Amino acid sequence: QVQLVESGGGSVQAGGSLRVSCTASGYTYRRTCMGWFRQVPGKEREEVALIDGDGTTKYANSVKDRFTISKDNTKNTLNLILQMDDLKPEDTAMYYCAADRGGRWYCASNFLDDVYWGQGTQVTVSS
C-alpha cells in the first residue's frame, strides 16, 4: 500500500523559510514524476512545483526563484522536498505532494489524472 506523508509545515513570518517533506512508503518507483500542490479553502488547487525522473524541475511563476523542489533517495526511502524561502503571506495554504501512480519518469500533461496524494501539511505565513 502506497502512502505519502507530508511533514514540516508550520507558521513563519514573511521573509522566512520553511522546508516541507513528503515521505513515500510502499512506492517502488524512484525516477518518476512527483510534485507539490497547494490549496486555500474556497480556491482551486494550484500546482507549485514538479520534478521529473531526470530531475528536471518546473515551478509556478509565483514561486520561481524562491522555492526549490528536490528528491532525496537515500536510505531506501524516497523523500520529496520543497525548500521555501522568502515566504510571503500569499504562500499560506495546505501543501500536498503527489506521485505518479504509473511511475512515469516524465511529467505528463495529464499527470493529475492518476496520482497518489498525501494528506497535506499546513503552511501559514504572517505579515
XYZ file of all heavy atoms in Angstrom, residues 24-119:
776
model
N 7.579 8.833 0.890
C 6.783 7.854 0.158
C 7.120 6.452 0.638
O 8.265 6.023 0.539
C 7.055 7.970 -1.337
N 6.136 5.772 1.165
C 6.342 4.390 1.569
C 5.508 3.473 0.684
O 4.409 3.844 0.246
C 5.951 4.190 3.042
O 4.596 4.511 3.243
N 6.051 2.300 0.399
C 5.354 1.367 -0.459
C 5.339 1.785 -1.921
O 4.666 1.161 -2.740
N 6.073 2.801 -2.226
C 6.126 3.343 -3.596
C 7.434 2.882 -4.202
O 8.508 3.319 -3.788
C 6.031 4.860 -3.555
C 5.890 5.543 -4.894
C 4.744 5.375 -5.669
C 6.890 6.380 -5.368
C 4.608 6.007 -6.886
C 6.757 7.019 -6.587
C 5.611 6.833 -7.342
O 5.476 7.467 -8.553
N 7.341 2.020 -5.214
C 8.543 1.348 -5.704
C 9.310 2.139 -6.761
O 10.455 1.823 -7.056
C 8.177 -0.023 -6.282
O 7.221 0.159 -7.340
C 7.554 -0.922 -5.207
N 8.675 3.144 -7.317
C 9.343 3.910 -8.355
C 10.293 4.928 -7.744
O 10.030 5.483 -6.676
C 8.319 4.621 -9.240
C 7.325 3.689 -9.868
C 6.005 3.655 -9.441
C 7.706 2.814 -10.883
C 5.083 2.795 -10.003
C 6.792 1.952 -11.460
C 5.484 1.946 -11.017
O 4.585 1.084 -11.570
N 11.382 5.217 -8.436
C 12.323 6.217 -7.959
C 12.454 7.354 -8.964
O 12.384 8.521 -8.621
C 13.676 5.557 -7.700
C 13.664 4.633 -6.480
C 13.436 5.412 -5.217
N 13.359 4.609 -4.021
C 12.229 4.189 -3.473
N 11.070 4.492 -4.033
N 12.251 3.475 -2.371
N 12.691 7.005 -10.222
C 12.834 8.018 -11.261
C 11.465 8.266 -11.873
O 11.113 7.719 -12.902
C 13.834 7.560 -12.318
C 15.241 7.406 -11.782
C 16.186 7.075 -12.912
N 16.246 8.184 -13.867
C 16.728 8.069 -15.097
N 17.169 6.900 -15.526
N 16.763 9.115 -15.891
N 10.705 9.115 -11.194
C 9.323 9.312 -11.603
C 8.904 10.748 -11.356
O 9.566 11.487 -10.627
C 8.402 8.352 -10.828
O 7.066 8.493 -11.308
C 8.412 8.672 -9.346
N 7.821 11.146 -11.977
C 7.311 12.496 -11.791
C 6.622 12.619 -10.436
O 5.761 11.807 -10.080
C 6.330 12.841 -12.904
S 5.633 14.506 -12.746
N 7.000 13.657 -9.705
C 6.351 13.970 -8.434
C 6.187 15.477 -8.359
O 6.868 16.223 -9.092
C 7.193 13.477 -7.245
C 7.428 11.989 -7.237
S 8.391 11.431 -5.810
C 7.172 11.554 -4.495
N 5.304 15.920 -7.493
C 5.091 17.349 -7.432
C 4.479 17.821 -6.127
O 3.999 17.028 -5.310
N 4.522 19.132 -5.962
C 3.876 19.803 -4.832
C 2.750 20.677 -5.358
O 2.911 21.375 -6.361
C 4.876 20.672 -4.078
C 5.832 19.897 -3.227
C 7.110 19.536 -3.529
C 5.580 19.376 -1.924
N 7.656 18.818 -2.512
C 6.739 18.702 -1.498
C 4.486 19.403 -1.064
C 6.841 18.082 -0.258
C 4.584 18.774 0.172
C 5.756 18.129 0.566
N 1.646 20.634 -4.638
C 0.483 21.435 -4.959
C 0.014 22.109 -3.673
O 0.355 21.678 -2.569
C -0.629 20.554 -5.532
C -0.242 19.888 -6.815
C 0.583 18.765 -6.825
C -0.670 20.394 -8.034
C 0.967 18.167 -8.026
C -0.300 19.806 -9.233
C 0.523 18.697 -9.220
N -0.757 23.172 -3.825
C -1.282 23.829 -2.638
C -2.718 24.277 -2.885
O -3.130 24.475 -4.029
C -0.407 25.009 -2.230
C -0.359 26.154 -3.218
C 0.690 27.187 -2.785
N 0.748 28.332 -3.691
C 1.671 29.292 -3.615
N 2.602 29.242 -2.666
N 1.641 30.287 -4.462
N -3.425 24.410 -1.789
C -4.822 24.815 -1.908
C -5.230 25.626 -0.691
O -4.889 25.297 0.451
C -5.731 23.589 -2.051
C -7.165 23.941 -2.416
C -7.948 22.743 -2.892
O -7.633 21.597 -2.558
N -8.979 22.985 -3.691
N -5.961 26.682 -0.986
C -6.566 27.529 0.034
C -8.053 27.254 0.010
O -8.634 27.113 -1.071
C -6.270 29.016 -0.261
C -6.996 29.905 0.737
C -4.770 29.278 -0.232
N -8.689 27.177 1.157
C -10.137 26.912 1.168
C -10.896 27.875 0.273
O -10.669 29.084 0.311
C -10.522 27.099 2.643
C -9.280 26.761 3.379
C -8.153 27.259 2.528
N -11.749 27.318 -0.558
C -12.555 28.131 -1.450
C -11.889 28.459 -2.763
O -12.495 29.106 -3.630
N -10.638 28.026 -2.919
C -9.928 28.290 -4.169
C -9.497 26.975 -4.813
O -9.444 25.934 -4.164
C -8.712 29.180 -3.916
C -9.057 30.586 -3.481
C -7.817 31.467 -3.487
C -8.172 32.906 -3.154
N -6.968 33.793 -3.185
N -9.177 27.045 -6.088
C -8.734 25.858 -6.799
C -7.320 25.474 -6.370
O -6.515 26.311 -5.969
C -8.762 26.118 -8.311
C -10.154 26.204 -8.886
C -10.149 26.209 -10.405
O -9.056 26.149 -11.012
O -11.243 26.277 -10.989
N -7.060 24.179 -6.484
C -5.712 23.688 -6.211
C -4.739 24.280 -7.222
O -5.040 24.409 -8.402
C -5.721 22.164 -6.305
C -4.401 21.481 -6.026
C -4.573 19.983 -6.105
N -5.194 19.607 -7.363
C -5.990 18.547 -7.526
N -6.259 17.764 -6.493
N -6.512 18.272 -8.696
N -3.565 24.613 -6.741
C -2.547 25.248 -7.578
C -1.294 24.375 -7.634
O -0.819 23.880 -6.610
C -2.183 26.619 -6.990
C -1.085 27.346 -7.725
C -0.631 28.612 -6.992
O -0.947 28.755 -5.795
O 0.047 29.431 -7.619
N -0.788 24.203 -8.826
C 0.484 23.496 -8.988
C 1.610 24.404 -8.538
O 1.713 25.548 -8.995
C 0.679 23.103 -10.447
C 2.004 22.421 -10.745
C 2.186 22.164 -12.239
O 1.350 21.481 -12.840
O 3.160 22.708 -12.807
N 2.468 23.910 -7.668
C 3.580 24.707 -7.152
C 4.876 24.361 -7.873
O 5.576 25.235 -8.380
C 3.743 24.491 -5.635
C 4.956 25.251 -5.110
C 2.484 24.915 -4.893
N 5.202 23.077 -7.883
C 6.460 22.648 -8.497
C 6.374 21.176 -8.868
O 5.725 20.397 -8.181
C 7.630 22.876 -7.540
N 7.034 20.819 -9.967
C 7.120 19.431 -10.412
C 8.581 19.068 -10.613
O 9.416 19.928 -10.920
C 6.378 19.221 -11.729
C 4.882 19.481 -11.771
C 4.356 19.306 -13.202
C 4.143 18.566 -10.818
N 8.874 17.791 -10.462
C 10.207 17.286 -10.772
C 10.043 15.947 -11.456
O 9.297 15.076 -10.982
C 11.086 17.185 -9.503
C 12.502 16.734 -9.855
C 10.454 16.285 -8.445
C 13.495 16.909 -8.706
N 10.719 15.760 -12.582
C 10.544 14.509 -13.304
C 11.650 13.523 -12.946
O 12.469 13.777 -12.073
C 10.456 14.760 -14.818
C 11.778 15.160 -15.449
O 12.836 15.042 -14.800
O 11.741 15.626 -16.605
N 11.635 12.394 -13.624
C 12.565 11.332 -13.280
C 14.019 11.673 -13.527
O 14.908 11.065 -12.931
N 14.258 12.636 -14.391
C 15.633 13.053 -14.671
C 16.053 14.257 -13.839
O 17.157 14.759 -14.012
C 15.788 13.397 -16.158
C 15.778 12.150 -17.018
O 16.028 11.059 -16.477
O 15.512 12.271 -18.224
N 15.166 14.713 -12.982
C 15.484 15.848 -12.127
C 15.150 17.197 -12.732
O 15.451 18.232 -12.125
N 14.517 17.191 -13.877
C 14.090 18.459 -14.466
C 12.935 19.025 -13.655
O 12.003 18.304 -13.305
C 13.646 18.251 -15.916
O 14.759 17.739 -16.664
C 13.203 19.563 -16.544
N 13.030 20.304 -13.349
C 12.030 20.933 -12.481
C 11.216 21.976 -13.234
O 11.642 22.525 -14.245
C 12.710 21.601 -11.276
O 13.670 22.558 -11.758
C 13.409 20.575 -10.408
N 10.042 22.219 -12.687
C 9.148 23.231 -13.236
C 8.470 23.911 -12.058
O 8.014 23.245 -11.139
C 8.113 22.574 -14.146
C 7.065 23.519 -14.704
C 5.970 22.728 -15.421
C 4.806 23.614 -15.815
N 3.675 22.826 -16.363
N 8.400 25.240 -12.106
C 7.824 25.997 -10.998
C 6.719 26.919 -11.482
O 6.756 27.433 -12.597
C 8.903 26.849 -10.325
C 10.006 26.047 -9.686
C 11.183 25.765 -10.373
C 9.878 25.567 -8.382
C 12.191 25.020 -9.801
C 10.881 24.828 -7.790
C 12.035 24.549 -8.505
O 13.039 23.813 -7.920
N 5.770 27.151 -10.598
C 4.786 28.188 -10.860
C 5.501 29.533 -10.837
O 6.465 29.723 -10.076
C 3.694 28.152 -9.795
N 5.050 30.453 -11.649
C 5.692 31.771 -11.703
C 5.699 32.444 -10.324
O 6.635 33.158 -9.986
C 4.970 32.663 -12.704
C 5.260 32.255 -14.141
O 6.301 31.666 -14.435
N 4.334 32.555 -15.033
N 4.676 32.181 -9.539
C 4.549 32.846 -8.243
C 5.609 32.398 -7.234
O 5.841 33.080 -6.239
C 3.161 32.589 -7.664
O 2.924 31.199 -7.510
N 6.238 31.245 -7.478
C 7.228 30.743 -6.514
C 8.621 30.627 -7.119
O 9.577 30.280 -6.408
C 6.806 29.374 -5.940
C 5.394 29.442 -5.370
C 6.906 28.269 -6.986
N 8.740 30.905 -8.400
C 10.033 30.769 -9.071
C 11.071 31.637 -8.380
O 10.793 32.762 -7.967
C 9.872 31.164 -10.541
C 10.926 30.611 -11.469
C 10.544 30.869 -12.911
C 9.331 30.088 -13.337
N 9.005 30.254 -14.760
N 12.257 31.095 -8.222
C 13.398 31.775 -7.578
C 13.252 31.867 -6.066
O 14.139 32.430 -5.395
C 13.615 33.180 -8.144
C 13.938 33.162 -9.633
O 14.608 32.214 -10.082
O 13.505 34.085 -10.340
N 12.172 31.348 -5.510
C 12.016 31.324 -4.051
C 11.900 29.902 -3.517
O 12.332 29.610 -2.404
C 10.767 32.119 -3.636
C 10.796 33.576 -4.010
C 9.616 34.331 -3.385
N 8.328 33.838 -3.851
C 7.390 33.343 -3.052
N 7.603 33.249 -1.743
N 6.226 32.927 -3.547
N 11.315 29.013 -4.301
C 11.112 27.627 -3.878
C 12.031 26.706 -4.671
O 12.328 26.972 -5.842
C 9.667 27.188 -4.120
C 8.646 27.819 -3.221
C 8.938 28.908 -2.411
C 7.347 27.306 -3.175
C 7.988 29.487 -1.586
C 6.384 27.866 -2.360
C 6.712 28.959 -1.566
N 12.440 25.607 -4.037
C 13.271 24.614 -4.696
C 12.719 23.226 -4.389
O 12.584 22.855 -3.220
C 14.729 24.692 -4.232
O 15.234 26.013 -4.459
C 15.586 23.694 -5.000
N 12.422 22.469 -5.448
C 11.929 21.110 -5.285
C 13.086 20.144 -5.540
O 13.914 20.375 -6.429
C 10.748 20.817 -6.238
C 10.133 19.450 -5.944
C 11.156 20.937 -7.702
C 8.838 19.180 -6.721
N 13.133 19.087 -4.761
C 14.199 18.098 -4.946
C 13.718 16.753 -4.419
O 12.716 16.664 -3.718
C 15.472 18.523 -4.224
O 15.254 18.616 -2.827
N 14.453 15.725 -4.787
C 14.181 14.381 -4.286
C 15.397 13.891 -3.523
O 16.528 14.159 -3.901
C 13.923 13.402 -5.442
C 12.617 13.561 -6.159
C 12.542 12.495 -7.257
C 11.404 12.743 -8.202
N 11.443 11.817 -9.349
N 15.129 13.150 -2.473
C 16.199 12.529 -1.707
C 15.919 11.038 -1.692
O 14.919 10.605 -1.125
C 16.225 13.099 -0.292
C 17.291 12.449 0.568
O 18.063 11.610 0.044
O 17.355 12.774 1.760
N 16.766 10.286 -2.339
C 16.524 8.851 -2.483
C 17.557 8.034 -1.710
O 17.998 6.992 -2.159
C 16.563 8.477 -3.963
C 16.029 7.085 -4.212
O 15.281 6.551 -3.416
N 16.433 6.504 -5.321
N 17.957 8.512 -0.584
C 18.926 7.784 0.233
C 18.205 6.900 1.232
O 17.016 7.072 1.493
C 19.846 8.755 0.977
O 19.046 9.621 1.790
C 20.653 9.580 0.001
N 18.938 5.959 1.781
C 18.413 5.080 2.826
C 17.159 4.340 2.384
O 16.277 4.046 3.186
C 18.126 5.864 4.112
C 19.342 6.570 4.683
C 18.990 7.336 5.952
C 20.195 8.065 6.493
N 19.885 8.852 7.698
N 17.084 4.038 1.071
C 15.953 3.269 0.537
C 14.597 3.904 0.794
O 13.575 3.215 0.772
C 15.957 1.850 1.119
C 17.161 1.066 0.663
O 17.560 1.165 -0.491
N 17.747 0.302 1.555
N 14.576 5.176 1.062
C 13.315 5.890 1.252
C 13.285 7.078 0.306
O 14.239 7.835 0.230
C 13.178 6.378 2.701
O 13.205 5.262 3.574
C 11.866 7.126 2.883
N 12.197 7.215 -0.387
C 12.059 8.329 -1.318
C 11.397 9.500 -0.607
O 10.284 9.365 -0.082
C 11.227 7.911 -2.527
C 10.980 8.979 -3.586
C 12.293 9.489 -4.147
C 10.085 8.443 -4.684
N 12.090 10.618 -0.577
C 11.552 11.828 0.017
C 11.502 12.919 -1.036
O 12.475 13.137 -1.765
C 12.428 12.299 1.175
C 12.314 11.391 2.376
O 11.248 11.257 2.963
N 13.397 10.742 2.735
N 10.369 13.578 -1.100
C 10.217 14.747 -1.961
C 10.272 15.974 -1.064
O 9.548 16.036 -0.064
C 8.884 14.685 -2.702
C 8.618 15.817 -3.669
C 9.565 15.707 -4.870
C 7.168 15.809 -4.137
N 11.114 16.915 -1.424
C 11.366 18.054 -0.555
C 11.011 19.348 -1.277
O 11.249 19.478 -2.481
C 12.843 18.076 -0.127
C 13.160 16.802 0.673
C 13.155 19.308 0.702
C 14.623 16.499 0.776
N 10.452 20.273 -0.534
C 10.202 21.614 -1.063
C 10.809 22.607 -0.079
O 10.323 22.765 1.037
C 8.708 21.871 -1.245
C 8.353 23.194 -1.919
C 8.800 23.175 -3.396
C 6.858 23.476 -1.841
N 11.882 23.234 -0.509
C 12.510 24.285 0.282
C 11.875 25.609 -0.117
O 11.904 25.977 -1.293
C 14.014 24.316 0.030
C 14.744 25.452 0.727
C 14.740 25.316 2.233
O 14.872 24.212 2.768
N 14.578 26.429 2.933
N 11.308 26.288 0.863
C 10.583 27.526 0.580
C 11.279 28.682 1.281
O 11.370 28.702 2.522
C 9.136 27.405 1.060
C 8.390 26.245 0.425
S 6.669 26.112 0.956
C 6.900 25.572 2.643
N 11.796 29.611 0.514
C 12.491 30.774 1.044
C 11.733 32.043 0.695
O 10.911 32.055 -0.215
C 13.915 30.835 0.480
C 14.752 29.633 0.872
O 14.681 29.208 2.038
O 15.477 29.118 -0.008
N 12.040 33.106 1.429
C 11.400 34.389 1.185
C 9.882 34.222 1.106
O 9.229 34.690 0.154
C 11.944 35.014 -0.099
C 11.501 36.454 -0.283
O 11.145 37.110 0.716
O 11.476 36.927 -1.443
N 9.339 33.571 2.087
C 7.911 33.280 2.071
C 7.077 34.548 2.182
O 7.474 35.529 2.835
C 7.566 32.319 3.203
C 7.910 30.854 2.911
C 8.033 30.052 4.195
C 6.867 30.242 1.991
N 5.924 34.504 1.531
C 5.001 35.631 1.514
C 3.653 35.188 2.074
O 3.322 33.993 2.014
C 4.835 36.137 0.082
C 6.136 36.536 -0.589
C 5.910 36.974 -2.029
C 7.221 37.376 -2.689
N 7.025 37.839 -4.075
N 2.877 36.127 2.585
C 1.558 35.747 3.102
C 0.711 34.989 2.080
O -0.062 34.097 2.454
C 0.933 37.093 3.471
C 2.103 37.954 3.826
C 3.192 37.534 2.858
N 0.868 35.313 0.822
C 0.083 34.621 -0.201
C 0.524 33.186 -0.437
O -0.116 32.450 -1.192
C 0.118 35.399 -1.528
C 1.491 35.768 -2.018
C 1.881 37.182 -1.625
O 1.603 37.589 -0.471
O 2.500 37.868 -2.459
N 1.602 32.755 0.212
C 2.013 31.352 0.149
C 1.258 30.502 1.161
O 1.389 29.275 1.168
C 3.515 31.222 0.416
C 4.366 31.860 -0.659
O 4.021 31.710 -1.850
O 5.370 32.508 -0.308
N 0.485 31.146 2.016
C -0.292 30.416 3.012
C -1.277 29.478 2.331
O -2.070 29.899 1.483
C -1.055 31.403 3.920
O -0.107 32.167 4.656
C -1.973 30.652 4.871
N -1.206 28.203 2.674
C -2.058 27.194 2.052
C -1.772 25.837 2.679
O -0.810 25.682 3.441
C -1.797 27.108 0.546
N -2.604 24.864 2.330
C -2.297 23.470 2.628
C -1.472 22.950 1.459
O -1.874 23.116 0.304
C -3.583 22.660 2.773
C -3.349 21.225 3.222
S -2.876 21.097 4.951
C -4.486 21.247 5.728
N -0.343 22.351 1.769
C 0.550 21.847 0.741
C 0.457 20.321 0.664
O 0.536 19.627 1.688
C 1.987 22.275 1.036
C 2.251 23.711 0.692
C 1.701 24.746 1.448
C 3.025 24.059 -0.416
C 1.905 26.067 1.114
C 3.247 25.389 -0.754
C 2.683 26.384 0.019
O 2.893 27.704 -0.314
N 0.294 19.833 -0.559
C 0.141 18.410 -0.802
C 1.214 17.920 -1.768
O 1.550 18.607 -2.727
C -1.218 18.105 -1.435
C -2.407 18.511 -0.618
C -2.963 19.785 -0.739
C -3.004 17.613 0.264
C -4.080 20.156 0.006
C -4.114 17.974 1.008
C -4.636 19.241 0.873
O -5.746 19.594 1.606
N 1.704 16.721 -1.537
C 2.595 16.107 -2.518
C 1.820 15.070 -3.318
O 0.814 14.535 -2.859
C 3.820 15.483 -1.858
S 3.501 14.019 -0.870
N 2.298 14.840 -4.518
C 1.660 13.883 -5.414
C 2.723 13.094 -6.153
O 3.789 13.622 -6.472
C 0.767 14.610 -6.416
N 2.427 11.844 -6.423
C 3.355 10.969 -7.138
C 2.598 10.185 -8.199
O 1.479 9.720 -7.956
C 4.032 10.009 -6.163
N 3.214 10.053 -9.346
C 2.587 9.360 -10.469
C 2.337 7.895 -10.125
O 3.253 7.172 -9.765
C 3.501 9.477 -11.694
C 2.803 9.054 -12.965
O 2.585 7.834 -13.139
O 2.505 9.926 -13.781
N 1.112 7.453 -10.255
C 0.775 6.068 -9.929
C 1.471 5.074 -10.836
O 1.837 3.988 -10.416
C -0.734 5.843 -10.029
C -1.519 6.313 -8.832
C -2.995 5.981 -8.992
N -3.768 6.470 -7.870
C -4.118 5.719 -6.844
N -3.782 4.445 -6.806
N -4.820 6.237 -5.858
N 1.655 5.464 -12.076
C 2.252 4.550 -13.028
C 3.763 4.629 -13.086
O 4.384 3.871 -13.845
N 4.353 5.513 -12.293
C 5.802 5.603 -12.271
C 6.411 6.201 -13.521
O 7.599 5.995 -13.796
N 5.626 6.983 -14.269
C 6.176 7.599 -15.471
C 7.290 8.570 -15.085
O 7.149 9.343 -14.140
C 5.081 8.349 -16.239
C 4.030 7.429 -16.835
C 2.900 8.232 -17.469
N 2.152 9.000 -16.495
C 1.092 9.747 -16.794
N 0.686 9.827 -18.048
N 0.452 10.413 -15.864
N 8.392 8.551 -15.833
C 9.522 9.419 -15.480
C 9.258 10.871 -15.879
O 9.797 11.790 -15.301
C 10.814 8.925 -16.127
C 10.853 9.055 -17.610
C 10.538 8.102 -18.533
C 11.235 10.217 -18.356
N 10.686 8.600 -19.789
C 11.120 9.888 -19.731
C 11.663 11.505 -18.009
C 11.415 10.799 -20.733
C 11.959 12.405 -19.012
C 11.829 12.046 -20.365
N 8.399 11.062 -16.886
C 8.140 12.422 -17.348
C 6.861 12.917 -16.693
O 6.000 12.128 -16.294
C 7.992 12.442 -18.868
C 6.872 11.574 -19.377
C 5.608 12.106 -19.653
C 7.061 10.208 -19.582
C 4.584 11.305 -20.105
C 6.035 9.403 -20.027
C 4.798 9.956 -20.293
O 3.781 9.147 -20.731
N 6.748 14.237 -16.581
C 5.537 14.836 -16.026
C 4.569 15.113 -17.152
O 4.683 16.126 -17.853
C 5.894 16.109 -15.270
S 6.866 15.806 -13.782
N 3.642 14.211 -17.349
C 2.685 14.323 -18.439
C 1.696 15.448 -18.182
O 1.479 15.864 -17.043
C 1.937 12.997 -18.599
N 1.099 15.913 -19.256
C 0.114 16.988 -19.112
C -1.091 16.526 -18.293
O -1.763 17.329 -17.660
C -0.333 17.473 -20.490
O -0.868 16.385 -21.228
N -1.350 15.218 -18.311
C -2.463 14.679 -17.529
C -1.976 14.025 -16.245
O -2.591 13.102 -15.718
C -3.263 13.672 -18.353
C -2.435 12.449 -18.713
O -1.210 12.479 -18.643
N -3.108 11.374 -19.105
N -0.867 14.539 -15.712
C -0.244 13.976 -14.502
C -1.255 13.782 -13.384
O -1.288 12.750 -12.721
C 0.887 14.907 -14.071
C 1.458 14.619 -12.709
C 2.140 13.446 -12.457
C 1.350 15.541 -11.679
C 2.680 13.178 -11.211
C 1.887 15.284 -10.423
C 2.554 14.108 -10.189
N -2.122 14.760 -13.181
C -3.039 14.708 -12.064
C -4.167 13.696 -12.243
O -4.919 13.447 -11.309
C -3.631 16.091 -11.795
C -2.663 17.103 -11.196
C -3.358 18.434 -10.956
C -2.061 16.583 -9.909
N -4.275 13.118 -13.423
C -5.347 12.148 -13.659
C -5.139 10.859 -12.868
O -6.085 10.127 -12.610
C -5.441 11.805 -15.149
C -6.020 12.947 -15.965
O -6.493 13.934 -15.347
O -5.990 12.851 -17.206
N -3.887 10.588 -12.513
C -3.603 9.289 -11.891
C -2.420 9.416 -10.940
O -1.302 9.023 -11.289
C -3.311 8.256 -12.981
C -3.409 6.826 -12.455
O -3.998 6.628 -11.371
O -2.890 5.911 -13.134
N -2.659 9.962 -9.784
C -1.584 10.170 -8.812
C -1.999 9.686 -7.434
O -3.177 9.536 -7.117
C -1.181 11.657 -8.710
C -0.609 12.171 -10.015
C -2.363 12.516 -8.255
N -0.976 9.438 -6.625
C -1.187 9.256 -5.195
C -1.057 10.627 -4.543
O -0.212 11.433 -4.950
C -0.110 8.331 -4.600
C -0.142 6.920 -5.094
C 0.823 6.443 -5.977
C -1.116 6.021 -4.656
C 0.821 5.137 -6.409
C -1.131 4.706 -5.089
C -0.162 4.278 -5.971
O -0.171 2.971 -6.412
N -1.873 10.877 -3.517
C -1.814 12.149 -2.797
C -1.453 11.913 -1.334
O -1.838 10.897 -0.731
C -3.189 12.843 -2.823
C -3.574 13.430 -4.132
C -4.454 12.912 -5.038
C -3.115 14.664 -4.693
N -4.561 13.744 -6.124
C -3.754 14.827 -5.936
C -2.225 15.647 -4.265
C -3.528 15.936 -6.763
C -2.008 16.745 -5.085
C -2.660 16.876 -6.306
N -0.736 12.869 -0.779
C -0.540 12.869 0.654
C -1.705 13.565 1.329
O -2.612 14.073 0.661
N -1.656 13.619 2.656
C -2.770 14.207 3.414
C -2.639 15.718 3.563
O -3.589 16.387 3.977
C -2.873 13.538 4.794
C -1.963 14.109 5.863
C -0.496 13.819 5.655
O -0.127 12.980 4.829
N 0.359 14.499 6.411
